[in-house]
Amino acid sequence: MSDIADTGPVLAADGTPLKRSLARALRVQKTRALLLIAPLLAFVLISFIWPIGVMLFRSVENEIVENTLPNTVKELATWDGGSQELPPQSAFEALYFDMFAATELKRHTRLGTRLNYEKTGISSLFRQSGRKLDDPGKDYRKALGAVTSDITKSATWLELISGASDAARSAPLVASQRQRLSTLDDRQIKGDLSFSPSADIVQLLPRAAREYTAFALYTELVDGKDVAKTKPWESVYVALAADLSDADVSGYNGPHAQMLRDLVAADVTAPDFRAIFTDIDKDWGALETWRTIQTHSKPYTSGYFLNAIDMQKTPEGAMAQPENKQILVKLFIRTLIMSLIIMGSCALLAYPVAWILANLPARKANILMIFVLLPFWTSLLVRTSAWKVMLQQQGVINDVLVWLGLVDDADRLIMINNQFGTIVAMTHILLPFMILPMYSVMQTINPSYLRAAKSLGATNWTAFWRVYFPQTIPGIGAGAILVFILSIGYYITPEIVGGTKGVFISNRIAYHISSSLNWGLAAALGTILLVVVLVLYWAYDKIVGIDNVKLG
Amino acid sequence: MANTLDNITVPVSLPFTLSLVGLLVAAIAFVAGVSTASDFSEFLLTVGAGSGLAIGFAFALISLFDTARPAMIVSALLGAAIGLSLGSSGGALFGIIFGVVAARLIFWVHLRQYRRGLPTYLTSNQVLWHYGFRAICAAIFIFLITPILVVLPLSFNAEDFFTFTPEMLSLDPEGFSLKHYKDFWNSNEWQRSFKNSLIIAPIATMISVSLGTLAAIGLSQSHVPFRRAIMAVLISPMIVPLIISATGMFFFYSKVGNFMEGTLGLDKNLVGYIKVVLAHAVLGIPFVIITVTATLVGFDRSLTRAAANMGADPVTTFFKIQMPLILPGVISGGLFAFITSFDEVVVVLFVGSASQKTLPWQMFTGLREQISPTILAVATILVIISIALLTTVELLRRRSERLRGMSPT
């Protein structure tokens, strides 16, 4: 037997070792299979899985606060929200300029809406404040203009901030302001700016230079207007007044240096930003408003998920929502209970039908199968509208009952726009999904087991319960999970026949997506729903196997 | 008197038949009496008179005739006469049907025909259970089919009602019209939505069928890494609740649409169609994958090997050998994908714009807002389409089973 050991590895026809040759063949086969799958997989991943992932990500994403009020959030980071004191002046100042830019780009109402989910009233506070932010600017324009009317001219501002033609330019300021407007407006602001602030002025009048640069960027690149001919934002006057109070302009000799010296000499009072805001609305003087902003200033939040389970994120931590706002947990429970009822009634109705289909001779069973397959193939909307027609108060069922004298014409049964309507219509719609798996399982059950049980002395009931029923459990399980998965995410039927009492969580998600525009909450609700469905899907895969799903 | 059934003799008993008929009618009269009778004596009168009349009628029929046929004719004539005297032609029709059914039932019970075809050793309780069970099944089948059957005649309603008018019930031709079909035909909105559905569904189907069939062939190879995970991803559009898919795609396709309109400079309308078609194609994919992989399970791999052996290249093998054999599965998968797209509302509601309004969308708004009976005409058309699709799929399934030698026919 020694010669076998001597021959070395077994060789394939082309001389390579058989092992390697086989491995290569396997690799080729795998690659070919993957190449066939790849286009579809890429399509589904890109246009289905990824969008859903991105959508669900909205449930924790909360960058809107930081994007809209970047400097305010920075100032608030050092403020102790638990203290009984309002945030420092610098926070109010940051808020003024942040809010002004946000108002110009019409972004402040979005933030107001976002924060309103957490604390009612903020939405109107933001809207009103946005409207009144111009007023202090106009006051300062008047006050400064009284000293020298030059300052109210658009051209003066351009020359002032541009500085001397040979002065050093401050590119970082332009870049940072471009960044600020881009995040605020949620899109890249592109293009070259014809203007750039001089480094001297940026050092001398930091606030005014900053606000004017933002204004110039917006005017030229978003609005497409000429900066030299456009009136600057009112905020630049407030910024200038604030700068003048602590600037030393005596050494400056760029354009309009004399005007600046005149203005300093006039000693216009520096703006009191806290007073500006508390004048606009006394709510700005309330700790609660600031705590809300601070609590929700993190770029990621658990707030939406807390909202989804009827809680809310407060400065003191997670708390239960007020009684009258607690509807979502109830809705989740209702969705679950109604899905269970639908699943149960489907199982109850499907069992005898599946049995009779599996036990009749093939010819008769095929004819009866039409009764199952026709509803299965009929448009969902046709079936839903049929149920609407049948269940209405002036509908077919009520008419028949009145005609038979079972129901008085005056008090016809209310069977639609409530839970009853949803359950009946959805049981009908999902019944084929229960019958078909049960049928395919029952078909495989050998009838001689039942006969054997009976011939051994079992009663009909015992034979059924101890011998037949256990063999049908896989079918029941498969059908039940399928019906439950489908019913828990249903939208159309509850929307049409469910009224207000018979709607599901899906309808609430749709409401938040299309009507209330609270996308974060919709995403949180959707995530919870999806997790439930995926767990059930996993169970279905374990019990039945996805490969074994049969259609028709 | 005795009656021969198959090869056994069953005694015929008049009291048994009469008491059964009496009990049945008494039960019906009981329900009717409870709801209509004003006092107890009237109630008793209803029940008593009802069952008495029925027993008398049954007795007369049984003593006059030996077989069911002549009794059915007489009873039908009687029913027609009563119907005519009470109402119109519709009443007469109901009378005839009622008469025939009643006489058939009486003789069925009396001649013990219900034992025909059942094992002779069954006890009466088992026979009762047998028929009771069938009655339950019949009720469930009726539950399944009634909503669809109710819609069909209602769509011919001459009035704008969602219920049967007295004219319709009396089969008066005045009560019927094609009005709602004309509405459907003449309304621009319905026509446009119908056209949109006919544009979107076939293109979406073609995308899902071509990509889905390729992937199914790949998946059914013997060594596929991550097979389960890939399968789960490809099936997921069927499992994820539609509202979640719809919102996800809403955000995704609004960005894609902006890109196509802004950067590529495509026509807005065209972009709208592309968005809806792609969204629907994804939804149809699981159905194609499932049906085609199921067909491939029965596919005999030695056929492709034989083809390769004879010198055919993979492409020729695919088109000449594999494709014709799996074609039934591919087509029925395609039909599933088609009906998914043709019947889809939620995603098109979110992804599409008004110019891509499809038939289901139009129906959905119709059902939610200004409910018009045109919907019933559309529903009838859709039912006919689904009957056609169902027949096709059923024929294909049988052909496929025959090809695989699973079915004796």
Side-chain angles (χ1 to χ4, degrees):
Chain A
M1 300 310 262
S2 63
D3 51 332
I4 290 180
D6 291 342
T7 48
V10 188
L11 297 184
D14 57 355
T16 51
L18 186 60
K19 208 173 170 186
R20 203 192 301 161
S21 172
L22 282 177
R24 197 177 58 206
L26 189 66
R27 207 164 51 237
V28 168
Q29 206 180 5
K30 277 184 182 174
T31 324
R32 196 164 55 203
L34 282 182
L35 277 180
L36 284 170
I37 303 170
L40 183 66
L41 192 63
F43 180 46
V44 173
L45 283 177
I46 292 172
S47 78
F48 188 79
I49 305 287
W50 188 64
I52 288 181
V54 171
M55 192 272 292
L56 296 181
F57 184 63
R58 282 171 193 268
S59 59
V60 289
E61 185 199 57
N62 188 40
E63 284 175 335
I64 181 168
V65 183
E66 209 182 7
N67 283 352
T68 316
L69 305 174
N71 293 325
T72 317
V73 168
K74 236 174 267 163
E75 291 293 335
L76 281 181
T78 51
W79 177 59
D80 175 17
S83 71
Q84 293 306 310
E85 276 173 44
L86 280 175
Q89 271 287 355
S90 60
F92 279 96
E93 184 191 326
L95 180 68
Y96 180 83
F97 294 115
D98 281 344
M99 272 281 264
F100 197 95
T103 311
E104 285 299 323
L105 273 78
K106 302 186 180 58
R107 292 275 152 171
H108 65 302
T109 49
R110 280 206 333 184
L111 179 62
T113 315
R114 161 70 189 97
L115 290 175
N116 206 50
Y117 302 142
E118 313 297 344
K119 188 174 181 303
T120 0
I122 291 208
S123 177
S124 63
L125 175 67
F126 268 60
R127 214 172 27 244
Q128 281 176 17
S129 311
R131 221 178 294 138
K132 290 182 187 162
L133 281 179
D134 284 357
D135 297 348
K138 282 175 187 154
D139 293 346
Y140 276 105
R141 186 166 65 199
K142 208 183 277 173
L144 296 172
V147 181
T148 155
S149 64
D150 263 4
I151 194 70
T152 60
K153 291 182 187 132
S154 313
T156 317
W157 271 100
L158 185 60
E159 288 155 19
L160 173 68
I161 306 292
S162 300
S165 55
D166 55 347
R169 302 283 139 199
S170 171
L173 183 67
V174 179
S176 74
Q177 289 313 300
R178 189 191 290 271
Q179 185 59 36
R180 174 184 169 198
L181 291 186
S182 293
T183 46
L184 188 57
D185 208 24
D186 225 0
R187 67 200 169 104
Q188 205 54 46
I189 290 176
K190 293 190 190 109
D192 287 327
L193 193 61
S194 66
F195 146 92
S196 62
S198 88
D200 289 344
I201 279 290
V202 170
Q203 209 172 11
L204 195 66
L205 307 170
R207 301 180 186 90
R210 185 184 70 212
E211 290 311 304
Y212 189 83
T213 311
F215 155 77
L217 276 164
Y218 175 78
T219 310
E220 257 197 37
L221 303 179
V222 180
D223 256 6
K225 286 183 188 154
D226 188 356
V227 188
K229 289 182 186 140
T230 312
K231 284 199 167 180
W233 289 347
E234 284 78 3
S235 62
V236 297
Y237 293 99
V238 182
L240 182 63
D243 281 335
L244 288 175
S245 64
D246 51 16
D248 177 21
V249 292
S250 49
Y252 184 65
N253 50 14
H256 300 288
Q258 189 51 47
M259 180 188 81
L260 286 179
R261 279 190 272 278
D262 290 348
L263 288 171
V264 171
D267 202 17
V268 176
T269 44
D272 178 356
F273 290 99
R274 186 181 296 180
I276 289 175
F277 274 101
T278 43
D279 279 353
I280 289 174
D281 197 311
K282 64 176 178 359
D283 275 358
W284 285 115
L287 279 168
E288 208 47 46
T289 311
W290 287 96
R291 280 183 189 157
T292 309
I293 295 176
Q294 192 192 32
T295 313
H296 298 283
S297 59
K298 302 268 177 344
Y300 299 101
T301 178
S302 58
Y304 292 120
F305 275 101
L306 289 174
N307 282 348
I309 53 168
D310 283 342
M311 294 174 74
Q312 57 182 341
K313 193 177 175 180
T314 61
E316 289 85 39
M319 307 264 275
Q321 290 264 32
E323 266 324 290
N324 58 348
K325 284 175 111 185
Q326 293 187 7
I327 50 166
L328 291 172
V329 169
K330 256 187 239 158
L331 194 58
F332 265 116
I333 292 173
R334 188 208 283 165
T335 307
L336 285 179
I337 289 177
M338 283 178 68
S339 298
L340 282 175
I341 294 175
I342 290 162
M343 183 186 92
S345 44
C346 276
L348 223 55
L349 294 180
Y351 203 87
V353 168
W355 190 86
I356 208 159
L357 285 174
N359 286 286
L360 278 180
R363 190 171 293 276
K364 280 188 190 167
N366 275 342
I367 293 171
L368 285 181
M369 204 63 180
I370 294 175
F371 286 78
V372 181
L373 290 180
L374 185 58
F376 182 69
W377 274 95
T378 305
S379 163
L380 171 71
L381 279 156
V382 171
R383 286 181 281 166
T384 309
S385 42
W387 278 109
K388 190 154 185 167
V389 167
M390 305 248 299
L391 294 175
Q392 280 182 70
Q393 279 202 287
Q394 301 299 323
V396 175
I397 291 181
N398 263 315
D399 277 358
V400 171
L401 291 177
V402 169
W403 182 69
L404 287 175
L406 293 179
V407 168
D408 198 40
D409 198 11
D411 45 26
R412 285 165 173 255
L413 301 179
I414 300 168
M415 295 184 289
I416 202 167
N417 294 338
N418 54 18
Q419 305 193 353
F420 179 81
T422 309
I423 289 173
V424 170
M426 283 186 56
T427 302
H428 176 256
I429 287 165
L430 296 176
L431 194 50
F433 290 97
M434 190 68 115
I435 294 177
L436 294 174
M438 277 192 186
Y439 167 69
S440 63
V441 167
M442 285 183 186
Q443 253 188 332
T444 62
I445 295 176
N446 193 337
S448 52
Y449 292 148
L450 208 55
R451 279 188 224 130
K454 281 187 192 165
S455 74
L456 288 172
T459 61
N460 281 334
W461 171 252
T462 317
F464 166 73
W465 185 247
R466 302 274 303 274
V467 176
Y468 192 79
F469 184 75
Q471 298 184 71
T472 59
I473 285 180
I476 301 175
I481 295 184
L482 191 60
V483 167
F484 194 77
I485 287 180
L486 289 174
S487 75
I488 204 174
Y490 239 64
Y491 167 68
I492 295 293
T493 309
E495 182 77 20
I496 291 175
V497 299
T500 48
K501 290 248 171 67
V503 292
F504 281 12
I505 199 74
S506 299
N507 303 76
R508 197 73 196 164
I509 296 176
Y511 163 77
H512 281 306
I513 289 284
S514 55
S515 304
S516 84
L517 303 184
N518 190 349
W519 292 341
L521 180 56
L525 292 173
T527 310
I528 297 175
L529 178 63
L530 191 64
V531 166
V532 173
V533 168
L534 287 183
V535 168
L536 289 168
Y537 177 46
W538 175 80
Y540 186 86
D541 190 24
K542 284 276 156 202
I543 297 172
V544 198
I546 0 171
D547 312 15
N548 297 330
V549 183
K550 285 210 180 66
L551 299 165
Chain B
M1 201 165 102
N3 176 42
T4 311
L5 268 179
D6 299 333
N7 49 8
I8 50 149
T9 312
V10 191
V12 166
S13 140
L14 192 60
F16 170 73
T17 312
L18 293 186
S19 53
L20 210 61
V21 171
L23 267 178
L24 185 70
V25 177
I28 297 172
F30 180 85
V31 178
V34 164
S35 54
T36 53
S38 51
D39 55 21
F40 190 64
S41 59
E42 200 185 321
F43 171 68
L44 279 185
L45 193 72
T46 319
V47 175
S51 47
L53 265 177
I55 291 174
F57 177 64
F59 182 69
L61 279 185
I62 290 168
S63 32
L64 281 174
F65 305 105
D66 274 345
T67 51
R69 198 170 296 264
M72 277 157 68
I73 296 171
V74 170
S75 163
L77 289 176
L78 204 66
I82 296 174
L84 267 182
S85 65
L86 285 180
S88 51
S89 54
L93 190 72
F94 283 114
I96 291 173
I97 294 170
F98 184 77
V100 169
V101 171
R104 189 81 198 87
L105 211 64
I106 289 167
F107 276 85
W108 189 67
V109 172
H110 184 62
L111 299 178
R112 304 278 165 109
Q113 283 171 343
Y114 51 82
R115 282 220 172 231
R116 183 172 282 169
L118 292 183
T120 46
Y121 51 79
L122 290 188
T123 62
S124 3
N125 273 344
Q126 284 171 328
V127 174
L128 187 66
W129 166 243
H130 176 83
Y131 283 105
F133 182 74
R134 301 215 157 188
I136 295 172
C137 289
I140 300 169
F141 280 121
I142 290 172
F143 170 71
L144 271 168
I145 207 78
T146 315
I148 296 168
L149 290 189
V150 161
V151 167
L152 305 187
L154 275 181
S155 68
F156 296 100
N157 200 339
E159 305 289 331
D160 282 351
F161 295 143
F162 275 95
T163 186
F164 291 98
T165 56
E167 292 84 31
M168 292 185 89
L169 290 175
S170 59
L171 296 182
D172 188 347
E174 293 280 302
F176 296 88
S177 80
L178 289 174
K179 179 176 153 190
H180 303 311
Y181 290 87
K182 279 183 202 142
D183 280 351
F184 169 67
W185 202 249
N186 293 330
S187 148
N188 274 336
E189 284 213 351
W190 282 107
Q191 283 303 306
R192 203 183 54 198
S193 58
F194 191 47
K195 262 181 218 141
N196 276 339
S197 279
L198 288 182
I199 294 171
I200 290 167
I203 303 178
T205 307
M206 276 192 284
I207 297 176
S208 14
V209 167
S210 46
L211 291 180
T213 308
L214 278 186
I217 291 171
L219 277 171
S220 61
Q221 310 268 323
S222 42
H223 300 282
V224 185
F226 315 113
R227 189 166 185 280
R228 281 184 85 86
I230 292 174
M231 197 73 176
V233 168
L234 296 185
I235 301 286
S236 62
M238 193 171 84
I239 302 296
V240 174
L242 267 180
I243 192 75
I244 295 177
S245 321
T247 43
M249 293 201 225
F250 164 65
F251 292 117
F252 175 69
Y253 280 113
S254 64
K255 271 187 198 154
V256 171
N258 285 344
F259 171 75
M260 285 199 282
E261 273 171 45
T263 316
L264 302 182
L266 293 177
D267 176 49
K268 189 165 177 250
N269 216 1
L270 178 70
V271 170
Y273 281 108
I274 294 176
K275 276 153 57 174
V276 178
V277 163
L278 289 180
H280 275 182
V282 167
L283 295 183
I285 279 165
F287 298 96
V288 179
I289 295 279
I290 287 171
T291 42
V292 178
T293 37
T295 322
L296 282 167
V297 167
F299 181 75
D300 188 354
R301 248 160 228 299
S302 51
L303 292 175
T304 51
R305 267 183 238 127
N309 222 355
M310 291 174 183
D313 59 89
V315 177
T316 317
T317 316
F318 175 73
F319 281 108
K320 291 245 156 146
I321 309 291
Q322 201 165 15
M323 198 59 194
L325 284 171
I326 62 167
L327 196 61
V330 174
I331 294 180
S332 62
L335 289 178
F336 270 107
F338 180 82
I339 203 81
T340 310
S341 163
F342 199 71
D343 194 17
E344 209 287 325
V345 205
V346 189
V347 168
V348 75
L349 212 58
F350 278 81
V351 174
S353 60
S355 52
Q356 283 87 45
K357 209 173 212 184
T358 58
L359 205 52
W361 182 352
Q362 180 72 23
M363 286 181 82
F364 181 64
T365 35
L367 281 172
R368 266 215 312 201
E369 291 147 22
Q370 19 88 30
I371 179 157
S372 99
T374 315
I375 287 173
L376 297 185
V378 181
T380 308
I381 295 171
L382 289 182
V383 168
I384 291 166
I385 292 178
S386 49
I387 290 175
L389 289 181
L390 167 62
T391 321
T392 323
V393 171
E394 200 53 25
L395 290 177
L396 286 171
R397 193 178 59 85
R398 293 205 185 153
R399 187 186 129 87
S400 161
E401 281 184 1
R402 206 166 52 237
L403 283 177
R404 282 149 59 178
M406 279 167 64
S407 168
T409 38

